[in-house]
Amino acid sequence: MHEATWAALADPKRRAVLGLLRERPRAVGELVGALRLTQPATSKHLRVLREAGLVRVIPEAQRRIYALDPAPLAELDAWLDPYRALWNDRLDALGRHLDETEERS
C-alpha cells in the first residue's frame, strides 16, 4: 500500500472526484462544475490523484479526460480484507450474544 494513495484518499474533495469518475470518465471542466471548485483547485486535486496512480489522463484533442484507475483501489481492498474479516467475526459474535440475551429475557 503506497503512502501517496492514503494521502490522496484523506481529502474529501479528492474522494468526491473519485466518486464522480467511478460513474464515467470526465473532463476537467465537468469536474469543476460538479465539485463547485475553481479550476486551479480541481486541477490540484487531479494532480494528486494522478501522482498516486488513482486516475489516468486520456488526451482527447485539446481536452484532458480523467478516468479512474482501479488498480490502487484493488490493492487497498486487498489490504483491508483481513480487517473486514475480523470485524465480520466480531459483529457475528455480538449478534449471537444479543440473540442469547433476548432469549433469556
Side-chain angles (χ1 to χ4, degrees):
M1 196 74 248
H2 298 282
E3 291 296 318
T5 303
W6 288 110
L9 294 173
D11 187 280
K13 294 292 185 184
R14 289 193 282 270
R15 290 192 306 269
V17 169
L18 293 176
L20 291 167
L21 295 179
R22 188 178 61 225
E23 297 169 1
R24 62 182 164 73
R26 297 174 189 258
V28 176
E30 189 178 350
L31 291 168
V32 167
L35 296 169
R36 296 184 178 178
L37 293 174
T38 64
Q39 192 278 330
T42 302
S43 292
K44 179 181 173 186
H45 289 302
L46 287 167
R47 180 179 48 80
V48 172
L49 291 168
R50 190 179 68 247
E51 288 173 356
L54 292 163
V55 300
R56 56 188 163 77
V57 180
I58 304 165
E60 188 177 280
Q62 300 298 327
R63 299 181 340 149
R64 300 178 90 193
I65 307 298
Y66 285 83
L68 186 64
D69 187 343
L73 296 174
E75 186 180 336
L76 175 63
D77 184 56
W79 186 86
L80 288 170
D81 195 50
Y83 297 96
R84 195 177 299 115
L86 173 72
W87 279 106
N88 284 338
D89 291 345
R90 290 187 180 189
L91 290 173
D92 288 346
L94 175 61
R96 286 189 301 275
H97 174 73
L98 293 174
D99 289 344
E100 291 170 5
T101 302
E102 188 176 285
E103 289 173 4
R104 285 187 238 151
S105 299

